[in-house]
Structure formats: C-alpha cells, structure tokens
Amino acid sequence: MKITNRCFVLAVILTACTQLLSAQSPIKQVGKVTGVTVNKQEVDITTENAFIKVIVYSPNIIRVRMDKQTLAPDFSYAVISQPVTTRVNITQNDNEININTDSLKVNIHKNPYNITFSTLAGEVINQDESGLSTSWVNESVTTYKKMQEGEHFIGLGEKTGGLDRKGNAYTNWNSDTYAYTTNQDPIYSTIPFYMGVHHNVNYGMFFDNTWQSDFNFGASNNRFSSFGAKGGEMNYYFISHKQVADIIRSYSSLTGLMKMPPLWSLGYQQNRYSYYPEKEVFRIAETLREKKIPADGITLDIHYMDKYKVFSWDKDRFPDPAGMIKKLKDMAFKVTLIVDPGIKEEKGYGVYERGLKEDIFAKYPDGSNYTGQVWPGWCNFPDFTNPKGRAWWGSELKKYADEGVSGIWNDMNEFSTWGQKAPDNILFNFEGKIASHPQIHNVYGLEMIRASYEGYKAARTNKRPFILTRSGYAGLQRYAAMWTGDNRAEDSHMLLGVRLMNSLGLSGVPFTGMDVGGFTGGASPSLYARWMQIGAFNPYFRNHTGINSKSSEPWAYGEEVLEITRNYINLRYRLLPYLYSTFYEATQNGKPVMRSLTIDYTHDDNVYNGLYENQYMFGHAFLVFPFDGVTPFGKLYFPAGKWYNLYNGEVQQGNSKIGLDLGISKLPVYVKESSIIPMQTQIQNTTEKPSDTLYVHVYKGDVNNKFVYYEDDGESFDYEKGDYFKKAITYDAARKTITFAKTEGSGKSKFSMIKLMLHGFNATSLKLNGKQLQAKDDFQALMVPISRFDPTGLSNPVEGEKIKSVLVKSMNDQFNISY
C-alpha cells in the first residue's frame, strides 16, 4: 500500500474515533457553524450543537447569547437598556463571519465556532480559547477565553482576596457569611462583571446569568480564563473602550445608574446591634450632640421589633415609635430601620395574614408555602419576582413611612435561613414565567430592594428613599446602597473592606460602605481610630458593632481616639459639597466615589502590587493610603503627576515610592495636582446651614482639570425637573485661568460668596474678568491638634499650610479668575 493511501486510511480512522469519542463524551461543544442569518445589527447562527445570537448593542458593546436549544424569549432583571442604532458592517465567507463597528472588530471562525474581539488596528482584545470555546456538561455551560500574557483581572463585585483576580476562582451564590474570612467565597452578593487588562487594551465582560456561576482566572490551569453557570444560557456582553472609566460607563448604561441619594445619608450614621430601649437611643443621640460629633443618622437593628417580627415594634422597649422618631427629627437625626424578608407563620399577625390573603409567598410544587426558619421562628418568604408580591411589600412599608422612618435597611436577603440550604424545589412567579430556586436565588435580594425602593418612594411624597442592602445582583445600584456585611474587628478585615468597596466601584456600584469599627469582636483603640479615619473617606459612613460586644461609639475608646475620630468626621462634613458633587457624577456616568487606582492608572503595574493594592482615589482629588492601626512604617506609591500632602501642602512627585512613619492621629492622604475641591464651614448635621461662603480649593498643577459643582435640595426628586444648581469649574494650567461656567438649572445655591483657596500658587495679583484683585495670605489647618494628655505636657502644634486666597461674589454668569 502506498504511503499516501496509508495516510488517508489513518486519517479516516482518526476522524471516526474523534466522532465516536465526541458522541460518547459528557462534554458537548458548540461545534461547526451550519447556518447564518444577518438581520441589521444581529447575526443568528446555528451550529452542530447550539443556537447563537450575536447582537451589536452599541459601537463598543457586543452581546452573545447561546444555548443548546432555541433561544428563549429575552428577559433580564439586570439589563434595562435596548440596543442603540449602530453603523455596522457584517460580512461572511465559507470560513468566517466579520462584524465591524466604528470601535471594534469581531471575527467568528466557523469550523469550529470561535469568536475573537479586536481593535480596529487588529490587536486582539479578547478571544475564545482555541479548541474549547463554549461547552456544556449536562446543563452547566462554560465559555473559555484565552488568557493573554500579563493579563490582569479586576472587578467581579463583592469578592474577597486581592485586587487582581488572576490565579483565583470565584463562585456566585449569595450567602449569609457571618464573620467571613478575608479569603472566603462566596459572600453576600453577585455581580458577574469583570474587566481584563493587557497590552494597553482593556475590556469588560458581563455574564448575565442568575444561576450559580463560576469564574476562573487561571486557577488550577495556565491556559484560560472562564465563566459559566449551572443552568440557563451563555449570555454575555463584551465591552471595549480605551479607558476603564468608559467601560464602567457602558456597563452602567446596560444595568442602570444610581439616583441622587438623600443628603443626610452622606453624613455620619451611628448604629449597633442593637440600640434599645428608647431611652438608650436618646442617650446615644444626646451624647453625639453633646460631644459635638457631627451625625445625621441612627439605625435600629432587629431588637426594635416585637419578637423579631418585621413591620412591628416591641411596645415595652419602644412605646411610642412615632413620638421617638419625631423627637429625634427635632434633634436633626434620621432613623433607619432594619427589615428582613422572613414573615413569621403566626395566626393573628396582621402582616402574615395579609400575605396569605394576597397569596404572595414562595411555594413548593404542591402549592403549599415554603417555610424556613430565621429570627422570628418558622417563616414564609415573599416572592419578590411576583409584581403582586412587590406591591404587597410596599404597602406594608407604608407603616414605617407614616411613622417618620427615613431609611430602610434590607438584611438577610440572600435569602438566609437557618441551615443555609433552601431547597431547589421552591417555585417563584418570575414575572409570570415560573422558575425554581436555583434560577432565582441570586436575584432574590435585588428584587427585594426593588420592592423596598419602589414601595418607599410611593409611600413618601416626593422624598428620595434611602435603601441599604446586604445582598443583590447586577443592577442593584438603581435601588440601594450596599454594605459589606458582618465583618470582623480586625486590621486585615478593615483593609479587605477597602478592597471590597473598590471592587464594587469597579463593578458599577458607587454607593458602598462597611461596618466601621468591625461587627464581630472588639476593636482596639488604634484599630478603631484608623477605621474611623478611613470611614470618613468611604461613600457610606456607618459605625456598627454586634450584640454582646463592647460599646463602639467614638467616645468609647478614650479621649485621644475621640479627638481623632471627631477630626475626621468634621472633615467629612466640611467636604460635603465635594462629596455630593461626586455622587452627582456617579448618577451621570457610573464612575464610583471610591476609585481603585486601576481606573486612572490602568497600565501601571505598581497599582496591582499587593503592597499598594489598597490605595484608592476618593473622587477625583484625594489619594487615600489605608494602613492598619499597628504598623509603624508604611510604603506608599504615588502614580504619575504631582501630589500635595493634605495636611501641610508638601509636594511629592509621582512615579515614586516612599516610606512613611505612621502615627495613629493621621491617615496619609494626598491631593492630586490641578484638583478642584469645594468645601463649606463646619456643621453638625445636614439640616444645619453652613455660612454663605463656598471655599473652592485649587491645587496648582501642570494638567488641565474640570470639576462639576452640583447642588439641589438634597431630599426631593425636583432635580429631575431642572431644580438644581450646577456650575462647571475648569482649571487651565497653560492659560493660568480658573473659569466658573454659566450656572445651569433653575435652583439657587446656598452660597452667595466664593472664597478661592490657592495651593502652590505664588501670585499675589489676580484678575476677575480682567479686573485687578489682590490675593491675601491665608492659612489652612484641617485638623485640630490632638491634646497632650500628660497634665505637664504642652499642646501639639497646629499643622497646616500657607496659601493664597481671594473672596469673590458668586455669579450665575460665567466668570474667570486669572493669575
């Protein structure tokens, strides 16, 4: 037999063996493309084993849907936007399909199916791993992506561990994880969105599948990253932009933007599990005011309830809830109450009886209500995937609105039951489509906070709800702020909390917080002081501790810690104009308030280094260096640019690493060059009016900058009708000009004067719209010196910075100040 014939026979045998193995394999791959239909911005593809739809959602977003059977009608709790009309060119031949937009290229290889996303210049951004692509094992589906050399992975929501996810794997299954460890996974929420960074390109990947999902970024393999789920479709959105901030913006365009929060929710919140009785609540409120610790909120945990039954009060501990809340309001405190989803099975309990009447509880297949045990005992659980269930919940919340409650804290909404093993055969309405627990579990919390937000908005005329949640799914930012659950009073947990919030910010959730001081255990004075300092630079600033732990109010750790924490709470209140404007930015483009350095310094490898991964920007201006409460010496990394010490104005050049002696009285914070920071005079709560002067701090730099200053009434939705005050402030380094643009909006500012505070400027002569102004020598000291508690000692010196300042009248028209 000739060699060529032998080769042919061998090839036939190998092909037959491969086909046999494929037929017997428990793994079903997509296989060869067998049909293609193009319809405007959509490409429908059939393969040997799958049905695929590729949708051009925008010039920068490509959606891929895939299943073993014909694709089901489209539905998502997370995605609220539709594809935008996009200029696209789609071509194909026998070997491939090509989809080109103005921003990226998509190539789909036909035999077998394999997809690659590239820049217009042909640089690979992301591609399927050759030979693996997408496959099914029973009902589980997974897509495998080629792991690029030097690739970093960031985001994925509330995930423990380091900033860079590379080398690790994660599971999404919302879980009640009391006192979780610093590497425990999963914990409370699911946001299946991450970003990849390599070779000066970036991309985002949002896997919109509510079943238990798994993400692998090179754990136990050196070949691929992957994402998949235990059921449902392979359904992902690929997002490509040159800037990480734009990827977050596009992701937010899919899943929604947060609304403006009530101003009081940005103030300091005092909490404990639990404050009771009423007398103790008043003692806390009165002590905050007596010791001049600015505060806006007091939160009540489950002990306010009658035997832990939601929508009830313990009448012995709280005989007159409405009267108590009114008295606290007169002291300028807002009250937030905890609510849990479990409704106790108890005849005569009105909430339970009304739930039965409306038939809104999740059920077993035999029609009986699912019963699980939580705080009140055996409970039924509202089906929040049923519009009727959400409406019922909203009607029950009205009781709290009528009593004057300002905030609703959603807890246990993973959902949690004792045993933590709710059965798979619980059925949910799923907007009339009926689904089982494994498909609904990860969105239960999202739909609960949706019900809370919509219900509380309806219950209080033209008042912004404040909703806080422990659990959720992608899109939760539309309804609630999120805190990171039952943490530990440990240094490592404090720093983990920083990373969790930074990761949530990368994942489209701007309004986040942690239990400052630690929930379980008891903080040392140094840990507590450091945690309160970091908390002042968190989006949501809440002090909280658990039952049977020592008191954790600012005065509970001694006089020195009280002075330190008061300094930083004071600073936060002076920074509220800056912070509120930064939240406004988040409502426009999804950019987080607490920003991982990977957003602005994406391709600087130092920001992924474990030594520096906790550093973050607070808004556009502040570079915060979190350290634990015991380390005497810290290593700091300064990215490119010029940086000013917040406390004394000393300049540090960027692209540099330094060591710093760490004291407990100050948290290292620096200000980015060219920053614009509006501040106000000291207030004790957000109902108190500051002076009529807005202090606008400008830090001299070599780069241009723009800051959008924003005000509204802080409580209503009138801003959606144009009732706001907005003014863009720009710094032009080359032209040596600071410009206040023409005012936008019909609202009026609370400030009639502007005092320009110039850091690093030597000019004494300024011009306002061409007219001469004289700058004055000034001095800024942000911190009150900590006392020397030795009676024979001297006071600590005042630390501050000599600057130039000029006072001008605020104008609605544009005005320029040149130097």
Side-chain angles (χ1 to χ4, degrees):
M1 183 182 291
K2 294 183 180 179
I3 292 176
T4 52
N5 290 339
R6 289 176 181 173
C7 290
F8 174 76
V9 171
L10 182 60
V12 170
I13 293 171
L14 286 172
T15 300
C17 289
T18 300
Q19 291 173 343
L20 179 63
L21 287 172
S22 178
Q24 295 175 343
S25 173
I27 299 172
K28 179 175 287 189
Q29 296 190 307
V30 173
K32 179 182 177 181
V33 172
T34 58
V36 177
T37 302
V38 177
N39 181 19
K40 297 180 180 178
Q41 295 176 209
E42 298 183 359
V43 181
D44 289 294
I45 301 170
T46 54
T47 73
E48 292 168 312
N49 295 312
F51 297 84
I52 304 169
K53 183 183 286 289
V54 179
I55 306 168
V56 178
Y57 234 76
S58 79
N60 300 87
I61 303 175
I62 306 295
R63 182 184 181 190
V64 178
R65 294 181 66 193
M66 189 183 312
D67 209 342
K68 292 185 295 182
Q69 56 265 346
T70 303
L71 294 172
D74 196 14
F75 176 78
S76 174
Y77 279 121
V79 176
I80 60 173
S81 68
Q82 296 298 318
V84 298
T85 302
T86 301
R87 187 168 62 183
V88 59
N89 182 38
I90 302 174
T91 60
Q92 65 167 316
N93 56 38
D94 291 343
N95 299 317
E96 61 186 12
I97 307 165
N98 287 292
I99 305 170
N100 295 338
T101 75
D102 292 340
S103 299
L104 58 87
K105 294 180 177 180
V106 183
N107 174 264
I108 300 171
H109 188 71
K110 288 186 174 181
N111 189 15
Y113 168 88
N114 189 288
I115 191 167
T116 298
F117 303 93
S118 304
T119 67
L120 294 179
E123 302 160 304
V124 172
I125 307 170
N126 176 270
Q127 62 191 136
D128 285 355
E129 172 62 17
S130 179
L132 300 182
S133 186
T134 298
S135 60
W136 288 263
V137 178
N138 298 320
E139 296 307 311
S140 295
V141 61
T142 303
T143 288
Y144 299 88
K145 296 292 185 178
K146 179 178 175 61
M147 192 155 52
Q148 305 295 330
E149 181 183 359
E151 189 165 8
H152 300 289
F153 300 95
I154 55 177
L156 205 62
E158 190 187 41
K159 292 298 179 184
T160 59
L163 166 66
D164 190 350
R165 307 299 184 189
K166 188 170 185 178
N168 296 287
Y170 303 88
T171 295
N172 286 319
W173 183 254
N174 295 352
S175 303
D176 180 355
T177 50
Y178 173 80
Y180 55 95
T181 63
T182 56
N183 61 355
Q184 187 169 339
D185 182 73
I187 53 174
Y188 300 101
S189 65
T190 291
I191 305 178
F193 168 66
Y194 71 90
M195 286 174 280
V197 176
H198 66 89
H199 299 100
N200 290 314
V201 295
N202 326 293
Y203 67 90
M205 194 71 73
F206 173 40
F207 177 40
D208 188 13
N209 182 309
T210 64
W211 294 70
Q212 178 180 318
S213 57
D214 294 280
F215 288 72
N216 185 318
F217 300 109
S220 302
N221 87 90
N222 62 356
R223 181 178 175 184
F224 58 78
S225 63
S226 67
F227 49 90
K230 298 300 183 185
E233 291 181 1
M234 174 50 59
N235 175 30
Y236 68 85
Y237 296 78
F238 172 84
I239 306 170
S240 175
H241 285 282
K242 293 181 180 179
Q243 303 296 326
V244 164
D246 290 327
I247 296 174
I248 297 172
R249 174 178 54 79
S250 281
Y251 168 77
S252 299
S253 75
L254 291 173
T255 61
L257 295 160
M258 70 171 289
K259 298 285 189 180
M260 282 302 297
L263 179 60
W264 69 265
S265 68
L266 306 190
Y268 175 63
Q269 315 292 315
Q270 188 65 54
N271 191 18
R272 180 179 177 82
Y273 170 39
S274 294
Y275 287 133
Y276 66 90
E278 175 185 279
K279 184 177 179 181
E280 175 69 1
V281 177
F282 286 133
R283 184 186 72 82
I284 295 297
E286 289 162 358
T287 307
L288 286 163
R289 293 291 179 245
E290 173 195 331
K291 294 187 179 296
K292 293 194 177 299
I293 302 167
D296 269 86
I298 290 180
T299 304
L300 301 184
D301 215 312
I302 60 174
H303 289 91
Y304 80 84
M305 300 178 191
D306 177 20
K307 299 180 179 63
Y308 311 126
K309 293 181 291 186
V310 70
F311 305 122
S312 73
W313 288 90
D314 185 314
K315 290 301 184 181
D316 292 328
R317 294 169 176 168
F318 299 95
D320 180 14
M324 177 191 70
I325 293 167
K326 172 64 167 61
K327 185 175 178 180
L328 288 169
K329 181 181 178 182
D330 293 342
M331 299 172 66
F333 284 103
K334 304 292 192 297
V335 173
T336 297
L337 296 183
I338 194 170
V339 294
D340 296 339
I343 308 298
K344 186 175 183 180
E345 285 187 315
E346 179 180 285
K347 288 187 176 181
Y349 171 35
V351 179
Y352 172 67
E353 297 286 1
R354 289 188 291 274
L356 285 179
K357 182 180 178 181
E358 294 296 323
D359 192 26
I360 53 81
F361 295 118
K363 301 183 181 305
Y364 283 117
D366 64 4
S368 62
N369 293 333
Y370 163 69
T371 305
Q373 194 174 21
V374 280
W375 296 114
W378 290 102
C379 294
N380 293 163
F381 289 80
D383 182 354
F384 294 111
T385 71
N386 186 341
K388 191 167 67 170
R390 294 194 294 270
W392 171 85
W393 182 261
S395 68
E396 296 296 332
L397 279 173
K398 189 175 185 303
K399 164 187 170 65
Y400 289 151
D402 293 342
E403 291 168 337
V405 172
S406 297
I408 301 297
W409 167 20
N410 297 250
D411 197 21
M412 305 288 286
N413 56 340
E414 290 74 27
F415 58 100
S416 175
T417 57
W418 301 161
Q420 306 302 329
K421 198 67 176 177
D424 287 352
N425 65 343
I426 308 171
L427 294 178
F428 293 83
N429 179 270
F430 192 37
E431 315 303 320
K433 297 182 287 292
I434 310 300
S436 64
H437 176 228
Q439 185 175 359
I440 298 303
H441 179 87
N442 283 338
V443 291
Y444 188 88
L446 174 69
E447 291 309 287
M448 180 182 176
I449 60 175
R450 175 185 178 182
S452 293
Y453 180 88
E454 293 174 350
Y456 225 56
K457 183 180 180 182
R460 302 193 315 153
T461 304
N462 199 25
K463 296 288 186 186
R464 303 175 202 171
F466 172 69
I467 307 297
L468 181 65
T469 188
R470 189 170 76 176
S471 186
Y473 182 75
L476 70 90
Q477 68 274 4
R478 303 195 299 265
Y479 309 118
M482 169 171 273
W483 104 104
T484 59
D486 298 340
N487 61 4
R488 303 183 184 193
E490 299 169 4
D491 287 282
S492 60
H493 244 276
M494 175 178 66
L495 297 178
L496 169 65
V498 169
R499 293 195 300 278
L500 289 173
M501 286 186 283
N502 283 341
S503 183
L504 283 163
L506 287 167
S507 308
V509 185
F511 201 1
T512 57
M514 57 179 162
D515 283 346
V516 172
F519 183 70
T520 70
S524 66
S526 61
L527 172 58
Y528 183 86
R530 181 69 83 216
W531 215 326
M532 290 291 281
Q533 292 168 338
I534 293 171
F537 293 93
N538 291 168
Y540 179 59
F541 187 12
R542 181 179 85 159
N543 177 301
H544 187 34
T545 192
I547 198 168
N548 294 322
S549 64
K550 65 183 181 182
S551 296
S552 197
E553 296 78 34
W555 55 84
Y557 293 83
E559 288 79 2
E560 182 179 17
V561 173
L562 172 59
E563 291 188 12
I564 292 169
T565 58
R566 183 164 48 212
N567 262 340
Y568 279 85
I569 299 173
N570 279 341
L571 176 59
R572 182 181 179 94
Y573 274 76
R574 292 176 65 187
L575 283 170
L576 280 176
Y578 168 83
L579 182 56
Y580 198 65
S581 299
T582 302
F583 267 94
Y584 171 73
E585 182 183 15
T587 69
Q588 301 303 296
N589 58 25
K591 199 166 186 180
V593 176
M594 194 166 166
R595 302 172 181 176
S596 164
L597 296 187
T598 58
I599 293 178
D600 293 328
Y601 307 96
T602 309
H603 298 284
D604 182 342
D605 283 340
N606 287 296
V607 305
Y608 301 92
N609 188 316
L611 287 173
Y612 313 116
E613 65 179 354
N614 297 323
Q615 297 177 190
Y616 65 93
M617 298 296 297
F618 189 60
H620 76 97
F622 296 102
L623 175 56
V624 181
F625 296 89
F627 286 99
D628 61 38
V630 295
T631 301
F633 182 82
K635 294 182 178 181
L636 285 65
Y637 173 67
F638 293 87
K642 185 166 64 176
W643 303 88
Y644 290 79
N645 185 304
L646 174 63
Y647 309 105
N648 59 31
E650 292 180 359
V651 174
Q652 175 66 45
Q653 295 299 325
N655 288 320
S656 63
K657 302 170 184 176
I658 67 168
L660 184 70
D661 290 326
L662 300 173
I664 199 59
S665 64
K666 284 192 309 182
L667 175 71
V669 180
Y670 282 72
V671 179
K672 188 177 183 178
E673 66 172 319
S674 306
S675 286
I676 300 164
I677 304 171
M679 295 177 67
Q680 64 186 15
T681 53
Q682 190 64 57
I683 56 175
Q684 292 298 304
N685 59 80
T686 57
T687 68
E688 182 181 331
K689 288 187 177 181
S691 77
D692 66 352
T693 300
L694 181 69
Y695 296 79
V696 178
H697 296 257
V698 180
Y699 287 78
K700 188 177 183 181
D702 298 324
V703 295
N704 296 339
N705 189 28
K706 178 181 178 181
F707 182 85
V708 177
Y709 174 72
Y710 178 85
E711 285 183 59
D712 58 31
D713 63 23
E715 61 177 6
S716 78
F717 287 94
D718 290 349
Y719 71 91
E720 294 181 340
K721 304 172 186 176
D723 188 6
Y724 57 81
F725 178 94
K726 184 168 72 171
K727 186 177 281 289
I729 308 170
T730 57
Y731 170 77
D732 191 317
R735 303 175 74 176
K736 297 185 176 181
T737 302
I738 301 163
T739 300
F740 292 74
K742 185 177 180 179
T743 300
E744 297 179 44
S746 61
K748 185 179 179 182
S749 174
K750 62 172 73 79
F751 304 105
S752 60
M753 303 296 294
I754 294 174
K755 189 171 185 180
L756 197 60
M757 311 288 279
L758 300 170
H759 299 253
F761 293 82
N762 296 319
T764 57
S765 180
L766 307 175
K767 290 184 178 181
L768 172 62
N769 290 340
K771 295 182 179 180
Q772 203 71 30
L773 281 177
Q774 193 66 33
K776 295 181 178 180
D777 292 328
D778 215 325
F779 184 77
Q780 172 183 266
L782 294 175
M783 299 283 138
V784 175
I786 305 302
S787 302
R788 288 187 185 272
F789 293 98
D790 179 352
T792 63
L794 301 173
S795 295
N796 284 307
V798 174
E799 183 179 24
E801 176 188 3
K802 293 180 179 179
I803 60 175
K804 300 289 185 180
S805 69
V806 62
L807 184 68
V808 298
K809 186 175 178 60
S810 181
M811 294 174 264
N812 284 329
D813 289 334
Q814 176 175 310
F815 60 95
N816 304 298
I817 297 175
S818 55
Y819 58 91

